[in-house]
Amino acid sequence: MLASGSPRRRELLREMGIDFETVTKDGINEAFPDTLNVKDVAEFIANVKANAYTADLKEGDILITADTVVVLDKEILGKPKNEDEARQMLKAISGRKHKVITGVCVTTPAGRTSFSVETKVTVRALTDDIIDHYVSTAHPLDKAGAYGIQEWIGLIGIDYIEGSYQNVMGLPTQRLFAVLSTID
């Protein structure tokens, strides 16, 4: 089971050839302690999401939960609340390097494994026109950091990545496959 509303995560699991159903619950509190290191936030939230489903697991079930954050310096850029905030985020990452960290939790009735993967992304300088075009034609409000690497902004604005491309999309497929391969 994939506990996520993310179309990108569903697409990646399908491309991996994994047969799954999608489940979602409203009202999961994704707050995290202020004292938590930014590199641990995504994995913490993935575990919080898993906790919301654990009681519903049956024998043979495998639950995948995930969360992705964008970290610029030591600040987390989550999903923007509106188009103005999306523009601000895109201006903040313009011409700079940031980190994308995805935390994943794989839970079965027998136990849980969680991990996080970090990818460094360098964005070229983006003009106001480029940012305005992207915000008005894409859906930046459902993406951490207000962008999708697989979308137009990624095609024209990403100079360089260090690490997993799929991780930036929201699911580190290579590491997930390795973990799933260990489950009986």
Side-chain angles (χ1 to χ4, degrees):
M1 291 184 287
L2 174 65
S4 175
S6 167
R8 291 156 300 281
R9 289 189 182 118
R10 289 193 302 266
E11 174 187 342
L12 289 169
L13 281 180
R14 275 193 297 273
E15 288 178 8
M16 290 173 70
I18 295 175
D19 191 23
F20 67 96
E21 66 179 87
T22 303
V23 293
T24 58
K25 284 187 180 184
D26 292 328
I28 297 173
N29 183 354
E30 296 184 16
F32 55 89
D34 292 339
T35 56
L36 195 62
N37 189 308
V38 293
K39 70 179 185 65
D40 299 324
V41 169
E43 188 172 341
F44 178 89
I45 295 173
N47 275 282
V48 166
K49 290 176 179 179
N51 291 341
Y53 295 89
T54 302
D56 301 330
L57 292 179
K58 298 175 191 71
E59 187 65 34
D61 283 349
I62 299 172
L63 174 71
I64 300 167
T65 56
D67 192 72
T68 301
V69 297
V70 170
V71 179
L72 181 63
D73 300 324
K74 293 186 179 190
E75 180 184 355
I76 292 178
L77 304 179
K79 294 176 183 175
K81 295 175 184 70
N82 54 50
E83 289 186 356
D84 287 338
E85 191 172 44
R87 284 183 185 85
Q88 291 170 0
M89 287 182 185
L90 292 168
K91 285 180 184 183
I93 65 173
S94 175
R96 302 192 54 204
K97 182 186 287 190
H98 63 273
K99 298 174 185 175
V100 177
I101 303 170
T102 300
V104 178
C105 187
V106 178
T107 307
T108 68
R112 177 182 293 181
T113 300
S114 65
F115 60 90
S116 61
V117 173
E118 176 183 297
T119 302
K120 295 176 183 170
V121 180
T122 303
V123 180
R124 76 176 181 99
L126 303 172
T127 65
D128 287 346
D129 287 343
I130 287 172
I131 291 171
D132 287 341
H133 174 75
Y134 179 68
V135 169
S136 67
T137 61
H139 303 283
L141 303 185
D142 72 339
K143 297 168 185 72
Y147 79 94
I149 193 169
Q150 71 283 1
E151 297 176 336
W152 178 80
I153 197 84
L155 295 172
I156 63 96
I158 303 299
D159 273 337
Y160 189 73
I161 69 168
E162 300 169 56
S164 168
Y165 176 87
Q166 290 81 12
N167 184 56
V168 182
M169 285 181 66
L171 196 63
T173 55
Q174 303 86 345
R175 181 80 181 272
L176 176 60
F177 183 79
V179 169
L180 291 173
S181 297
T182 66
I183 297 173
D184 294 332

